[in-house]
Amino acid sequence: MSANAGERIARWVRPEVRALQAYAVPPVAPAIKLDAMENPYPWPPGLQAQWLDTLRGIAINRYPDPRAPTLIAQLRATYALPAHAGVMLGNGSDELLQVILLALAQPGAAVLAPVPTFVMYELLARALGMRFIGVPLAADFALDTDAMLAAIEREQPAVVFLAYPNNPTGNLFDARAIDAIIAAAPGVVVIDEAYHAFAQATQLPALARHEHVLVLRTLSKLGLAGLRLGFLCGAPAWLAEFDKARLPYNINVLTQATVQFALAHADAWHAQAAQIAHDRAALAQALAALPGVHAWPSAANFILFRTAHGADAVFARLLAQGVLIKNLARAHAQLKDCLRVTVGTPAENAAFLAALRTALTE
Ligand SMILES: *Cc1c(COP(=O)(O)O)cnc(C)c1O
């Protein structure tokens, strides 16, 4: 073994990559996992056996169809995607974010987003050597329209990312503020609708008005996080450029077949999402009733809250009781003492609340 990987790494790995922190996933398997916006429910009864039957016929020795026309047609029908728009598939929407940025990462190009928001925008931008411009959200995490417009004018970003609803704050940005940003943006505006199943709100109609708007969705939060399927909807001319930066066989045969099966039974998953959105209200109400807790309204399947008891301490006491949520205390200045809990089953939500009550009185 030759000595000292460190020296070679310092010489050859791009400085912007060395400066990054890898996306952190906790190694523990807690009793109650409410940290990652996963659907807590097993597959609807009876469907699993049928699904396994469909997998038997798959030719695993063959490459997947890189165009996946059947799957795309199903997505169009299930989500009423506009006929004039194109659809591109990703191995999770994370991959589509990466593909978009691969196509746009010219020297000096900027990526702009309101912050705090989904951390992958900044991580992927920096990994590709792009500038990341984070524009602080206003009070209660609304868009600061004037600050956004000024930053767009100054930085001329290649892409603006807007998570709708936003993660980790849970709110839907004001539609008029979004319109103003779309009108001002010199590049593309990507509306990331990862939580669409819980929000019942969409910016899809903007696609008919603006060719530089793209809408990003994923099936992860609906209940298929392990499969990895995201899709990007927008003007065919833009998608044709992004498609050149996509690996041709990015959606494997098992994912294609499984998503086709799941979409044929989409009502079952959407019923689960409706249940989760329903249970979110009770969880929010219970959180709001706790002394020293402030919870923000959410249109997603999670709730952001601040504790007066110190986020680190509360997080650790919850974990000691087998409940894992997300500690955001150090994620951003505006998230001081903030924690984020994913809405689970009613039993999980009750266990979380009981553990939290204990954590707040310790
Ligand atoms: C979870 C999440 C994603 C990534 O989802 P995958 O499709 O699982 O990669 C994208 N955007 C936002 C805002 C998210 O919260």
Side-chain angles (χ1 to χ4, degrees):
M1 281 262 295
S2 63
N4 212 340
E7 271 175 32
R8 287 193 195 219
I9 287 170
R11 179 174 170 199
W12 294 107
V13 178
R14 285 186 286 121
E16 57 268 29
V17 172
R18 277 188 279 132
L20 289 173
Q21 300 273 343
Y23 186 86
V25 177
V28 289
I32 296 181
K33 187 174 185 303
L34 300 175
D35 66 322
M37 283 77 94
E38 292 149 328
N39 175 334
Y41 294 103
W43 275 34
L47 286 188
Q48 194 154 30
Q50 276 184 56
W51 165 59
L52 290 172
D53 280 342
T54 68
L55 295 185
R56 269 183 248 286
I58 289 176
I60 207 93
N61 55 319
R62 302 293 178 194
Y63 282 105
D65 185 334
R67 294 160 301 115
T70 314
L71 174 46
I72 286 179
Q74 269 180 303
L75 286 168
R76 285 185 178 281
T78 305
Y79 293 109
L81 304 178
H84 60 82
V87 177
M88 183 175 148
L89 304 182
N91 191 359
S93 52
D94 279 352
E95 188 189 48
L96 289 165
L97 295 169
Q98 186 182 49
V99 165
I100 292 166
L101 295 182
L102 272 170
L104 301 177
Q106 303 187 62
V111 174
L112 188 144
V115 288
T117 191
F118 186 46
V119 293
M120 290 305 292
Y121 307 149
E122 178 168 2
L123 189 88
L124 292 169
R126 292 198 188 281
L128 290 168
M130 302 176 86
R131 293 184 293 129
F132 179 80
I133 315 296
V135 179
L137 289 168
D140 283 332
F141 305 121
L143 279 174
D144 183 340
T145 311
D146 290 345
M148 287 291 289
L149 296 182
I152 288 168
E153 173 68 23
R154 190 176 65 240
E155 306 289 348
Q156 295 290 301
V159 52
V160 176
F161 286 118
L162 296 173
Y164 186 80
N166 190 38
N167 171 13
T169 57
N171 55 317
L172 287 163
F173 295 136
D174 178 69
R176 271 175 312 176
I178 294 175
D179 285 344
I181 289 164
I182 290 170
V188 290
V189 177
V190 176
I191 316 274
D192 181 348
E193 299 189 338
Y195 299 95
H196 171 256
F198 314 99
Q200 303 305 326
T202 180
Q203 291 292 328
L204 273 180
L207 298 185
R209 301 191 295 271
H210 309 280
E211 284 207 323
H212 66 293
V213 174
L214 299 142
V215 170
L216 182 65
R217 297 261 184 98
T218 176
L219 299 185
S220 292
K221 279 47 188 230
L222 181 66
L224 301 173
L227 269 187
R228 316 301 299 129
L229 192 93
F231 58 99
L232 183 65
C233 196
W238 276 106
L239 293 195
E241 296 304 315
F242 297 142
D243 205 42
K244 300 172 194 170
R246 176 182 70 90
L247 296 176
Y249 303 120
N250 61 333
I251 313 299
N252 74 67
V253 289
L254 297 176
T255 296
Q256 289 194 24
T258 306
V259 173
Q260 282 177 217
F261 177 84
L263 289 177
H265 303 274
D267 288 354
W269 273 274
H270 289 119
Q272 291 183 341
Q275 178 69 47
I276 291 165
H278 175 264
D279 294 336
R280 172 182 70 205
L283 181 57
Q285 217 174 8
L287 276 171
L290 292 174
V293 170
H294 176 83
W296 280 272
S298 172
N301 63 339
F302 59 82
I303 296 173
L304 180 77
F305 65 98
R306 175 169 282 147
T307 165
H309 296 69
D312 289 347
V314 171
F315 176 80
R317 288 175 200 152
L318 286 171
L319 196 56
Q321 297 175 82
V323 179
L324 178 66
I325 62 171
K326 180 83 174 175
N327 185 356
L328 293 164
R330 267 170 301 280
H332 192 266
Q334 280 163 273
L335 297 176
K336 190 175 173 326
D337 281 322
C338 284
L339 299 160
R340 184 191 68 200
V341 61
T342 303
V343 182
T345 64
E348 287 174 328
N349 300 338
F352 156 72
L353 286 167
L356 182 60
R357 283 189 197 98
T358 304
L360 295 177
T361 51
E362 265 173 23

